[in-house]
């Protein structure tokens, strides 16, 4: 997985805490209340959108964020999206700089493919790109590199 800061607005993930007003199409608003682990997916002209519920902000922990990030990544994988934008700023307001670590860890684990186990070994490994928002704290300390570094 490659982690960068920037924007390529093809596919986006959005996070929703319990009690927040959803930024969803009107027809989908009744399906998302921000409950932990709830996922709603839709397609707009700009691309695929995935909204993931995080529960109450004060109850969000690193391991819970890791689980939510994994759900978001698996949904993007199911939608065949190899590059997607992920807002880190709302998560870092709750968890601080450790949000970057748990976010990337959850997505990396969810997207990992075991080469050769029940799969064709000749099939090329997919390279996923995770785009973090510019407002995010410096995530490089958790990944040991510069912009565009490979995580994992």
């Amino acid at each position: 997985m490659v982690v960068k800061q920037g924007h390529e607005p093809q596919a986006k993930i959005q996070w929703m805490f319990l009690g927040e007003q959803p930024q969803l199409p009107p027809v989908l608003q009744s399906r998302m209340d921000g409950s932990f682990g709830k996922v709603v997916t839709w397609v707009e002209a700009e691309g695929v959108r995935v909204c993931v519920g995080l529960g109450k902000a004060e109850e969000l922990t690193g391991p819970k964020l890791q689980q939510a990030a994994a759900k978001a990544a698996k949904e993007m994988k199911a939608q065949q999206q190899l590059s997607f934008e992920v807002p880190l700023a709302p998560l870092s307001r709750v968890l601080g700089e450790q949000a970057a670590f748990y976010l990337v860890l959850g997505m990396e684990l969810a997207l990992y493919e075991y080469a050769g186990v029940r799969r064709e070994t000749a099939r090329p490994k997919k390279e996923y790109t995770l785009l973090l928002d510019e407002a995010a704290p410096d995530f490089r300390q958790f990944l040991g590199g510069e912009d565009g570094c490979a995580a994992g």
Side-chain angles (χ1 to χ4, degrees):
M1 178 185 320
V2 176
V3 180
K4 299 180 181 180
Q5 280 184 294
H7 297 283
E8 288 180 21
Q10 300 165 335
K12 292 183 181 180
I13 293 172
Q14 69 182 61
W15 310 109
M16 184 177 165
F17 289 104
L18 195 61
E20 284 185 342
Q21 184 65 30
Q23 297 177 346
L24 305 171
V27 71
L28 296 174
Q29 287 186 0
S30 65
R31 293 183 52 202
M32 176 54 90
D33 61 359
S35 298
F36 180 77
K38 197 164 193 176
V39 178
V40 175
T41 304
W42 71 100
V43 178
E44 294 181 342
E46 298 84 21
V48 174
R49 302 293 183 254
V50 173
C51 183
V52 180
L54 297 173
K56 294 180 180 178
E58 61 272 9
E59 293 178 3
L60 184 65
T61 63
K64 284 180 96 172
L65 173 57
Q66 181 180 333
Q67 290 175 4
K71 283 184 178 237
K74 285 179 182 178
E75 185 59 28
M76 282 297 186
K77 183 177 181 178
Q79 297 296 321
Q80 300 179 356
Q81 300 299 307
L82 297 179
S83 179
F84 42 92
E85 190 173 317
V86 183
L88 182 58
L91 305 173
S92 61
R93 281 194 289 273
V94 176
L95 293 177
E97 290 184 349
Q98 69 174 338
F101 172 76
Y102 286 106
L103 174 72
V104 173
L105 180 62
M107 291 193 165
E108 180 74 17
L109 292 173
L111 297 174
Y112 185 80
E113 292 185 10
Y114 299 95
V117 178
R118 290 188 223 133
R119 300 179 190 272
E120 297 176 26
T121 55
R123 191 170 88 181
K125 183 180 176 190
K126 293 179 183 167
E127 184 71 32
Y128 292 91
T129 302
L130 174 63
L131 299 162
L132 301 179
D133 52 355
E134 297 294 337
D138 187 3
F139 60 89
R140 291 172 291 211
Q141 64 180 322
F142 299 108
L143 304 175
E146 293 300 316
D147 242 18
C149 60

